Amino acid sequence: MGRFTNPRDLYFGEGARHEVKNLKGERAVIVTGGGSMRRGGFLQDVENDLKEAGFEVKLIEGVESDPSVETVMNGAAVMSEFQPDWIIALGGGSPIDAAKAMWIKYEYPETTFEDMCKVFGLPKLRTKAHFCAISSTSGTATEVTAFSIITDYAKGIKFPIADFEITPDVAIVDPELTYTMPAKLCAHTGMDALTHSIEAYVSTAGSAYTDANALYAMREIVEWLPKSYQGDKEARQHMHDAQCIAGIAFSSGLLGIVHSMAHKTGAAFTGDHIIHGCANAMYLGKVIQFNAKDARAKSRYAYIASEVFHLAGETEDELVAALVQMIRDLNDKIDIPQGIKNYGKGGVKADESIIDYAEFEEKKSRIAVDAIGDACTGSNPRIPTPEEMEKLLECVYNDVDVDF
């Protein structure tokens, strides 16, 4: 038996953020990030609309990129004191993911972070509050998903929280929030969305319901991402919808080892974080080559190449190779490095990586084991051995083809 779960309501289009004025309740907490939503006036819009609807409003601002366990616990403590009946998460993936984890701790104060990370093991939520997510970036789609990513900095690991209980009640996809998104963020989040759609389509947990969304989303993303990167407003609108549709696909269809590796390499090195969307962009082609040893996955990759992107190729092998090259070409168009060896600070191309190769070599065995244990690995078409995962990590560092 399969399952397909979405928010109860999804509002989309310019101005959709104002739908919060139709929520019913008494107290609302708004969780947001580093200030872009305030500078753009969007935080004020949402706060004023909630007050117009009769809510008392409390703000939790300053959620960092790659939110920490400490941020989650501090936010939950604020909620415990204020007792909101609505949690409004406003911004990119980081504040929305943090707010989801705060929500769990608020409803169940005795819950530990380790308890949260038990895959599909959460208790029933909505005993105290409902959840509304308003996304400002076009990639994570956490506004419609059953997932949250929180970083344990003491361990240097990003942990996915996975449970349909944290699927928001209301999702708002308003492209106006994306019009001032920096080009680099547009590139990284866009490739995150493309990875979502492709991984969902080959996932062993996929279905006809998720396939339809995945195929539509990947076509839209490849067409509109380069234009969105250049700042085109129409393209930003298409991308904001497409990334959400990709999220609908992977929330129920799940993901694979591109994300497993991105989660476990993201905070592993002293040089700097490897930005999540950039990691996915660098790793995606390598994982396609690895997964294509599985007959079903190869057939699906070939279908993407021939029927979605109309790439040239007479055989499945040729079509898979064409798909990998298309992803490389897309990375080049939006200035993303092809491997960790060229990963510069902030995810830009560089002649010398900020991720030291000696440190990478020292940590890759542990990272391989952690990646295999990630929540996303179980639905990957091929489950790598620790030795295979180490070899795969070597390929993504050095940007060499995968042939095992």
Side-chain angles (χ1 to χ4, degrees):
M1 184 189 78
R3 179 173 176 176
F4 187 71
T5 300
N6 285 324
R8 170 65 178 81
D9 291 298
L10 195 160
Y11 299 99
F12 55 94
E14 291 185 333
R17 62 190 178 279
H18 296 295
E19 280 298 320
V20 297
K21 68 176 60 176
N22 294 315
L23 300 179
K24 306 299 181 186
E26 296 180 359
R27 290 176 299 279
V29 159
I30 303 175
V31 181
T32 192
S36 63
M37 293 296 95
R38 179 178 287 281
R39 290 191 298 273
F42 302 116
L43 174 58
Q44 294 91 323
D45 284 349
V46 172
E47 183 179 9
N48 291 336
D49 285 340
L50 288 168
K51 288 179 176 178
E52 182 180 322
F55 283 91
E56 182 183 354
V57 180
K58 179 80 172 179
L59 303 182
I60 299 176
E61 298 185 75
V63 174
E64 74 275 35
S65 297
D66 302 315
S68 66
V69 177
E70 290 74 20
T71 293
V72 168
M73 298 307 170
N74 291 337
V78 173
M79 292 181 185
S80 181
E81 181 178 349
F82 185 65
Q83 291 289 302
D85 44 31
W86 274 96
I87 298 167
I88 315 295
L90 172 67
S94 293
I96 298 175
D97 281 1
K100 287 180 176 180
M102 292 172 191
W103 184 24
I104 300 167
K105 184 71 174 175
Y106 165 53
E107 298 229 358
Y108 293 92
E110 72 283 359
T111 299
T112 66
F113 181 64
E114 289 72 22
D115 292 333
M116 295 183 194
C117 295
K118 295 174 183 175
V119 178
F120 295 101
L122 292 179
K124 291 287 183 184
L125 297 181
R126 299 164 181 83
T127 63
K128 295 181 180 179
H130 287 80
F131 194 98
C132 171
I134 309 171
S135 58
S136 68
T137 59
S138 300
T140 69
T142 188
E143 72 273 8
V144 292
T145 75
F147 299 95
S148 166
I149 307 298
I150 304 298
T151 302
D152 185 331
Y153 285 91
K155 296 179 179 178
I157 297 175
K158 294 182 179 182
F159 287 94
I161 301 171
D163 198 292
F164 288 116
E165 284 298 314
I166 60 171
T167 305
D169 299 286
V170 176
I172 295 177
V173 184
D174 185 338
E176 287 188 73
L177 278 65
T178 74
Y179 292 162
T180 57
M181 186 167 53
K184 184 173 66 173
L185 182 60
C186 172
H188 294 163
T189 55
M191 289 304 294
D192 190 19
L194 180 62
T195 305
H196 292 157
S197 59
I198 292 177
E199 286 209 291
Y201 187 64
V202 301
S203 164
T204 58
S207 69
Y209 299 91
T210 60
D211 286 352
N213 288 286
L215 291 168
Y216 179 84
M218 66 180 76
R219 184 186 69 194
E220 284 281 286
I221 292 164
V222 169
E223 178 178 352
W224 291 102
L225 178 55
K227 300 170 190 174
S228 179
Y229 180 66
Q230 298 299 328
D232 181 86
K233 184 180 288 189
E234 181 185 8
R236 294 276 170 111
Q237 294 169 355
H238 279 271
M239 279 299 302
H240 210 41
D241 287 332
Q243 64 85 30
C244 182
I245 293 166
I248 290 170
F250 90 79
S251 185
S252 293
L254 306 185
L255 293 166
I257 60 172
V258 179
H259 274 76
S260 300
M261 290 193 295
H263 293 156
K264 302 318 181 195
T265 57
F269 305 109
T270 57
D272 201 359
H273 280 202
I274 301 178
I275 295 170
H276 179 73
C278 189
N280 285 337
M282 294 187 294
Y283 304 171
L284 179 57
K286 304 297 185 288
V287 170
I288 288 172
Q289 291 175 330
F290 176 80
N291 283 343
K293 300 294 183 182
D294 174 86
R296 173 184 173 275
K298 180 191 284 189
S299 175
R300 289 195 155 229
Y301 290 135
Y303 181 88
I304 292 170
S306 63
E307 301 303 317
V308 179
F309 299 127
H310 309 294
L311 304 177
E314 297 297 323
T315 67
E316 286 189 342
D317 286 333
E318 290 176 351
L319 287 165
V320 171
L323 178 61
V324 171
Q325 186 59 50
M326 185 206 75
I327 292 165
R328 293 183 66 86
D329 293 343
L330 183 55
N331 283 343
D332 284 340
K333 286 180 183 177
I334 56 178
D335 301 312
I336 287 179
Q338 302 289 0
I340 299 174
K341 70 175 184 178
N342 296 119
Y343 183 87
K345 189 171 182 61
V348 301
K349 290 181 181 179
D351 293 334
E352 184 175 346
S353 179
I354 60 170
I355 307 302
D356 180 68
Y357 185 69
E359 183 185 10
F360 172 84
E361 280 287 292
E362 177 188 344
K363 293 181 174 179
K364 71 177 180 181
S365 295
R366 190 203 76 193
I367 292 170
V369 171
D370 289 342
I372 291 170
D374 188 87
C376 294
T377 298
S379 48
N380 194 69
R382 289 180 70 193
I383 306 300
T385 65
E387 294 75 20
E388 287 174 329
M389 182 61 85
E390 284 192 44
K391 290 171 67 177
L392 191 52
L393 287 164
E394 284 278 356
C395 292
V396 303
Y397 188 99
N398 292 305
D399 185 26
V400 296
D401 286 341
V402 177
D403 59 359
F404 56 90

